[in-house]
Amino acid sequence: MIPAHLKTDLEQRVAAAVTNREAAVDVMKALQRHYGWLTDEALDEASQLLKMSPLQVEELATFYEMIYRRPVGRHVVHVCDSISCWASGGETLLESLANLLNIECGSTTPDGAVTLLPCSCLGNCGEAPCMMVGEKQYGRVTLEMGAEIVAALRNNSLGISATS
Ligand code: FES
């Protein structure tokens, strides 16, 4: 259950939006920040706040790659696997990070620190290959840079929230 201040804040955001649907991603991201991922409880709360059916919220949630309908680590690393990044070494970057983390792409390290996921184009194709952690994007990511970012996340020295 979300605290009263968060509920009030989200109600105000929904009221300020032109349509409730417009506020949906904002609401889901706020709930995700609170719970760590968009739990079933969070989905129900989003449904009530947005006055949309749980199915409608679920459809939106599954459409957005940055909304997580299953548990994720404290940090979520997205590596773009769309065409420009793929052609610029994105696949190798993804493999390299998976090897460094010793996990399969799509899974989370046993310590719960990092989840590694592929993602669609981040809209930064000119800087390929790209990755994203929380709200922060990284472009022209070399294998070394990727390794440094992941090491910093594991040491908690990058200061990025997984679900921000
Ligand atoms: S293809 Fe990766 S940012 Fe566009």
Side-chain angles (χ1 to χ4, degrees):
M1 190 171 178
I2 54 174
H5 68 86
L6 178 56
K7 188 173 180 210
T8 303
D9 175 48
L10 294 178
E11 284 170 346
Q12 287 169 351
R13 285 198 230 179
V14 173
V18 177
T19 65
N20 288 8
R21 196 180 178 86
E22 178 189 295
V25 172
D26 216 17
V27 167
M28 288 191 293
K29 280 197 161 187
L31 292 169
Q32 181 166 268
R33 269 195 297 278
H34 177 72
Y35 289 103
W37 57 288
L38 196 73
T39 60
D40 289 343
E41 183 181 1
L43 190 120
D44 283 341
E45 286 169 335
S47 160
Q48 286 163 28
L49 285 160
L50 294 162
K51 298 179 179 53
M52 294 167 64
S53 73
L55 182 61
Q56 287 173 310
V57 178
E58 177 83 60
E59 282 172 356
L60 287 173
T62 50
F63 180 77
Y64 289 99
E65 290 177 309
M66 307 297 165
I67 301 291
Y68 313 119
R69 282 291 284 134
R70 61 186 175 86
V72 290
R74 291 187 296 282
H75 306 285
V76 182
V77 175
H78 288 273
V79 178
C80 175
D81 68 353
S82 292
I83 187 66
S84 296
C85 289
W86 177 82
S88 303
E91 194 175 18
T92 307
L93 175 63
L94 191 56
E95 282 172 13
S96 166
L97 296 182
N99 285 337
L100 276 171
L101 293 165
N102 202 23
I103 56 174
E104 299 280 322
C105 178
S107 58
T108 301
T109 54
D111 62 0
V114 181
T115 297
L116 180 64
L117 296 171
C119 68
S120 303
C121 180
L122 292 165
N124 193 24
C125 316
E127 301 278 307
C130 299
M131 58 186 273
M132 188 166 178
V133 184
E135 296 289 322
K136 185 166 174 52
Q137 275 199 33
Y138 298 86
R140 298 188 196 281
V141 184
T142 61
L143 298 186
E144 294 73 23
M145 194 175 150
E148 281 172 22
I149 292 167
V150 163
L153 289 175
R154 296 200 92 167
N155 295 331
N156 248 339
S157 58
L158 211 56
I160 295 173
S161 161
T163 51
S164 59

